[in-house]
Amino acid sequence: MAKYTVVAMPGDGIGKVVLPEAIRVLDAVGFDAEYVHADIGWEFWVKEGNPLPERTVELLAEHKLGLFGAITSKPKAEAAKELDPALRDKGYVYFSPIVGMRQRFNLDVCIRPCRSFKGNPLNFIRRTADGGFEEPPVDAVIFRQNTEGLYAGVEWTDPPEVVRKALETHPKFERFKDVPGEDLALSVRIFTRRACRRILTAAFQYAKKHGYRSVTVCEKPNVLRETSGMMEEVAREVRKDFPEIELWSTNIDAQMMWLTKNPEDYGVIVAGNLFGDIVSDAFAGLVGGLGFACSGNIGDEVAVFEPTHGSAPKYAELDPPIVNPIAMILSAAMLLDHVGEEEKAKRVRDAIGAVIAEGKVRTYDMMKLPGGPEAISRGAATTTQMTDAIIANL
Ligand code: NAI
Ligand code: MG
């Protein structure tokens, strides 16, 4: 029997392409695991009215470790239209299976490392004063609170009367009190002290373990005084146990500007759900974009690793496939770290680094080519060729 069992959830579109590639790499590096397939995504919404079937939830509860590709999701009306006619008007409402999975298992710590690889033609470059350019090495790790904030799902258009009444007790609601219900939309930003403490503790522990000198809280406490304010307050408390690490604070808007000015100055970054989503995409853009952006969703019991990209339907059916498997493979390396197989994780990352540094095998995104079948005749590597090259360098 294998030492680990991993729940493999390819999902939709290119999720089905990249996940098997990551498993090939895990096998090649000698990870002693077996994989059980689990259903997730659009197909199961259409056929069963549930993109995250209960059997998948049970597999995750049993095995605790998941690798996830990507899913397709569509707006409310479109989702309802595509539902199997036999299931229509029975109260099924589409809800993102990933957001659902995060909430179901309280996968509240999302880690998104954004590290540049030497020689990646997609790395951010910056002009120098003398008109030349330089390529600052980026090594930022974003800790995104994954279950609360504006993604908590507490929202209304035309809020119920009791909610309106409650809002009217706030003096700042005065301006809105005459807005008709159907013209009033609310999304509630919910932070809890417990979740703030968990994300901040995880971030400081990570900074300490990996030798980062700073943890930056990236919020907006001057405006969002209660929610961002709570994150900052808890940060100061948590920091007391990590005196060797500096605590910095930036506003999300200013951070987006400084990002391209001095990205090399940042180490570990902590943010709430939406700001974490934004700042992690922005940092990912400096190190190669969606083909390189990996992540882990970590709870007390269950952990699921996934690339940040979606199902890229445009490229899902291409044969041979052209999408970059590196984001998925880096996510698999995070899984290795998580279970304590750090030496194997390092070998995987070093192999990716070697392929990129050599520069002979590059997927279409790395060549800045438009995606499509003609990318291959213009010299781009296929998905499989990229994985093969990585395996050859292990
Ligand atoms: P997307 O991430 O699927 O693709 C956007 C573009 O990024 C692609 O057209 C392609 O040019 C590029 N790209 C993405 N992954 C790549 C890779 N591995 N290698 C090279 N290039 C890559 O985002 P989009 O098009 O906005 O959404 C498509 C579907 O995916 C939607 O249904 C959306 O809801 C869903 N989605 C799912 C996510 C998830 O499963 N975690 C995250 C984001 C979107
Ligand atoms: Mg995002």
Side-chain angles (χ1 to χ4, degrees), residues 117-304:
F117 285 99
K118 260 208 184 85
N120 185 351
L122 301 177
N123 284 344
F124 168 70
I125 56 167
R126 171 174 70 197
R127 261 202 200 290
T128 51
D130 61 8
F133 69 88
E134 58 192 356
E135 191 176 309
V138 178
D139 180 356
V141 184
I142 290 84
F143 279 68
R144 166 191 180 189
Q145 205 296 323
N146 219 16
T147 47
E148 303 190 339
L150 280 165
Y151 289 61
V154 181
E155 47 181 9
W156 297 270
T157 299
D158 194 4
E161 196 52 32
V162 283
V163 173
R164 274 198 91 115
K165 282 271 166 300
L167 291 171
E168 280 166 17
T169 64
H170 197 292
K172 293 258 164 67
F173 195 72
E174 178 65 24
R175 289 191 297 134
F176 305 104
K177 77 176 195 320
D178 297 324
V179 179
E182 65 274 19
D183 295 339
L184 184 70
L186 291 178
S187 299
V188 185
R189 192 174 204 244
I190 301 176
F191 276 35
T192 66
R193 206 174 288 280
R194 182 183 136 80
C196 290
R197 183 164 293 119
R198 282 174 55 89
I199 190 82
L200 283 155
T201 304
F204 272 99
Q205 282 169 346
Y206 187 98
K208 183 173 174 173
K209 180 168 176 189
H210 298 279
Y212 289 89
R213 85 183 153 108
S214 66
V215 169
T216 303
V217 174
C218 178
E219 278 286 325
K220 185 83 183 173
N222 51 339
V223 179
L224 304 171
R225 292 172 182 277
E226 304 305 325
T227 46
S228 296
M230 179 179 283
M231 185 71 92
E232 294 236 315
E233 187 187 315
V234 177
R236 286 189 293 272
E237 274 166 41
V238 171
R239 197 232 154 189
K240 287 183 191 147
D241 294 333
F242 300 87
E244 69 280 23
I245 296 166
E246 290 172 35
L247 172 62
W248 300 348
S249 168
T250 59
N251 283 338
I252 177 72
D253 48 342
Q255 179 71 71
M256 300 310 280
M257 186 178 57
W258 289 332
L259 198 75
T260 50
K261 205 165 160 238
N262 56 342
E264 69 272 44
D265 289 352
Y266 298 96
V268 172
I269 294 179
V270 183
N273 212 337
L274 178 61
F275 294 167
D277 200 11
I278 294 171
V279 76
S280 62
D281 270 17
F283 267 101
L286 303 177
V287 301
L290 289 173
F292 293 85
C294 57
S295 77
N297 304 281
I298 297 169
D300 279 338
E301 304 243 304
V302 174
V304 176

Side-chain angles (χ1 to χ4, degrees), residues 3-182:
K3 188 167 172 200
Y4 302 97
T5 302
V6 178
V7 180
M9 298 167 277
D12 301 308
I14 64 163
K16 291 194 172 90
V17 172
V18 293
L19 190 121
E21 300 295 297
I23 293 178
R24 283 215 287 142
V25 174
L26 289 172
D27 285 344
V29 80
F31 182 49
D32 183 13
E34 58 191 9
Y35 300 86
V36 287
H37 172 92
D39 296 335
I40 192 167
W42 197 249
E43 189 186 333
F44 305 97
W45 160 251
V46 173
K47 288 201 304 217
E48 303 174 23
N50 184 2
L52 178 62
E54 211 40 44
R55 55 189 181 278
T56 298
V57 173
E58 281 161 18
L59 281 173
L60 276 172
E62 181 182 348
H63 300 296
K64 323 262 186 248
L65 261 186
L67 264 184
F68 166 63
I71 49 109
T72 295
S73 59
K74 298 183 189 178
K76 223 160 116 182
E78 243 175 288
K81 233 178 22 213
E82 290 192 30
L83 189 61
D84 186 324
L87 299 174
R88 282 187 208 155
D89 305 316
K90 297 223 163 90
Y92 292 102
V93 181
Y94 182 82
F95 189 72
S96 158
I98 316 164
V99 177
M101 191 154 67
R102 289 170 185 159
Q103 290 177 354
R104 194 76 180 249
F105 292 107
N106 194 30
L107 308 179
D108 63 334
V109 174
C110 178
I111 310 181
R112 295 185 164 182
C114 298
R115 296 191 177 101
S116 45
F117 285 99
K118 260 208 184 85
N120 185 351
L122 301 177
N123 284 344
F124 168 70
I125 56 167
R126 171 174 70 197
R127 261 202 200 290
T128 51
D130 61 8
F133 69 88
E134 58 192 356
E135 191 176 309
V138 178
D139 180 356
V141 184
I142 290 84
F143 279 68
R144 166 191 180 189
Q145 205 296 323
N146 219 16
T147 47
E148 303 190 339
L150 280 165
Y151 289 61
V154 181
E155 47 181 9
W156 297 270
T157 299
D158 194 4
E161 196 52 32
V162 283
V163 173
R164 274 198 91 115
K165 282 271 166 300
L167 291 171
E168 280 166 17
T169 64
H170 197 292
K172 293 258 164 67
F173 195 72
E174 178 65 24
R175 289 191 297 134
F176 305 104
K177 77 176 195 320
D178 297 324
V179 179
E182 65 274 19

Side-chain angles (χ1 to χ4, degrees), residues 332-348:
M334 291 181 75
L335 181 147
L336 291 173
D337 278 332
H338 179 74
V339 299
E341 300 275 3
E342 281 149 332
E343 181 268 336
K344 290 189 173 70
K346 183 173 182 311
R347 278 174 58 207
V348 171

